[in-house]
Amino acid sequence: MESAFTIAALYRFASFSDPDAIARDLRLLCAELGTCGTLIVAGEGINGTVAGSGAAIAALVAHIRTLPGCADLDVKYADSDEAPFARMKVKVKTEIVTLGAGDLDPANRAGTYLDPPEWNALIADPDTVVIDTRNAYEVSVGSFEGAIDPGTRSFRDFPAWFDGFAEKLREEGREPRIAMFCTGGIRCEKSTALVRARGFDEVYHLRGGILRYLEEMPEADSRWQGDCYVFDERVAVGHGLKAGDYVTCRGCGLPHVRDAAHECAADGSGVWPHRKQG
């Protein structure tokens, strides 16, 4: 039996000269198609998650692929029997994923893509510096063997962390190969563009992110340890994208193993920003 809703998580770094006009057209089309979810449009491209009938999502994705530089739009699909979002929002912002590091041009200046087998070979080399671009609560659930955890609370913290890290590398006379990864790929593209802008030439990232790796890489050959935090009701997934044994704390919004002791991080200022960041 076909599910009532098709969910599409999508993004593409591209150069949009008039994001407001693109957003207006998308609002009209989404209203006509009856979709729900959120799309973010900026001068650097488009990002979002939308849901609707299979035909509606196919029509919306086809339209987005006609936008400048979006023919190779990255889309991940899922199914749901219930509407996962209350309404449709199309927003115009400065960035489609907020890093706050100025004009980096990820569409043209991101690092070199590697598929999962190539990634395994690169990070197995001890001379490769492997950096997890995600936030600390995500890294706590799982990461690649030997990866550096920047300990960030928000993606906005990454540039300052990397600048300090780069200074240490240069003090040591090192300019190593750098391999970077994130959940689905979008933060990797932005952060590799940042690293290249800081003067590092050999910069690589995992195509399709951790999720594609866990979907395609046999567990026996995997270099992944633990589960991968995801931004939906599953909380975390493992190899084959099977749901793990994690739940979200109602107090602080952070993941923890089901029925295990958990020190709540709520401080009265609200949950950490992972509810809003993809």
Side-chain angles (χ1 to χ4, degrees), residues 135-212:
N135 297 322
Y137 60 85
E138 299 170 81
V139 179
S140 70
V141 175
S143 190
F144 280 105
E145 178 184 352
I148 295 171
D149 173 13
T152 54
R153 179 165 172 157
S154 164
F155 194 40
R156 281 181 173 272
D157 298 336
F158 187 83
W161 174 84
F162 183 79
D163 287 343
F165 180 69
E167 184 176 352
K168 291 179 182 178
L169 289 177
R170 289 180 171 128
E171 287 174 353
E172 296 168 0
R174 299 172 61 199
E175 191 171 324
R177 289 186 303 275
I178 296 178
M180 307 172 74
F181 64 93
C182 61
T183 307
I186 187 169
R187 283 181 282 181
C188 300
E189 294 200 34
K190 198 74 176 278
S191 54
T192 55
L194 169 76
V195 171
R196 292 191 67 198
R198 296 300 195 258
F200 291 84
D201 296 323
E202 284 196 83
V203 185
Y204 302 86
H205 55 121
L206 180 58
R207 188 189 299 273
I210 302 162
L211 294 180
R212 181 182 175 194

Side-chain angles (χ1 to χ4, degrees), residues 8 10 26 29-30 33 35 39 46 50 53-75 77:
L10 57 92
L26 284 169
L29 179 60
C30 290
L33 295 172
T35 58
L39 290 173
I46 187 167
V50 290
S53 68
I57 294 301
L60 178 56
V61 169
H63 171 79
I64 295 173
R65 289 191 191 279
T66 68
L67 298 176
C70 289
D72 294 327
L73 179 76
D74 185 285
V75 188
Y77 295 99

Side-chain angles (χ1 to χ4, degrees), residues 39-98:
L39 290 173
I40 298 171
V41 182
E44 67 177 13
I46 187 167
N47 177 31
T49 303
V50 290
S53 68
I57 294 301
L60 178 56
V61 169
H63 171 79
I64 295 173
R65 289 191 191 279
T66 68
L67 298 176
C70 289
D72 294 327
L73 179 76
D74 185 285
V75 188
K76 295 179 178 67
Y77 295 99
D79 296 319
S80 176
D81 292 328
E82 298 181 358
F85 310 107
R87 60 189 184 278
M88 186 71 219
K89 296 177 286 186
V90 180
K91 303 177 180 179
V92 177
K93 293 190 174 184
T94 305
E95 300 178 74
I96 61 172
V97 57
T98 303

Side-chain angles (χ1 to χ4, degrees), residues 120-130 145-146 148 174 176-178 223:
N120 268 6
L122 182 69
I123 68 173
D125 186 334
D127 291 329
T128 300
V129 172
V130 186
E145 178 184 352
I148 295 171
R174 299 172 61 199
R177 289 186 303 275
I178 296 178
R223 301 187 69 88

